[in-house]
Amino acid sequence: ILSDVLVATAAKHADPLAVFPCCHSRKRKVLESVASPYAKKEYHKILSHRGSMPDLVDRLDTVRMVALENAGFDVEEFF
């Protein structure tokens, strides 16, 4: 959740950031005040999914990266 708040805040204010997300989960958290329309739609899909979601990490990280790209950031993913 903290990563999502940081991404949304950086996108809103055009502040650079580096994120090292961990502990991905589908905890229900209202991000209405900070999430982009794209992120809200994707989070809804993730939170509404029933059962196991083996690709949860990839889906959450993709939402975060696309949200930043949509806000005009250059995004790089490192492993």
Side-chain angles (χ1 to χ4, degrees):
I1 303 298
L2 178 58
S3 294
D4 299 309
V5 173
L6 292 173
V7 165
T9 302
K12 180 178 179 180
H13 298 284
D15 290 331
L17 81 154
V19 178
F20 299 90
C22 72
C23 312
H24 297 77
S25 71
R26 290 192 289 176
K27 292 180 182 173
R28 206 166 274 284
K29 171 75 174 159
V30 177
L31 297 171
E32 296 295 322
S33 63
V34 293
S36 69
Y38 167 80
K40 288 178 192 176
K41 182 180 82 172
E42 294 303 310
Y43 291 139
H44 178 72
K45 288 180 193 175
I46 291 167
L47 292 170
S48 298
H49 182 82
R50 300 258 186 228
S52 177
M53 186 176 280
D55 63 341
L56 177 64
V57 170
D58 290 332
R59 290 179 75 168
L60 286 173
D61 288 346
T62 297
V63 169
R64 293 167 179 158
M65 289 186 295
V66 171
L68 288 169
E69 289 170 344
N70 288 346
F73 283 76
D74 293 322
V75 178
E76 294 182 52
E77 183 177 20
F78 297 96
F79 295 96

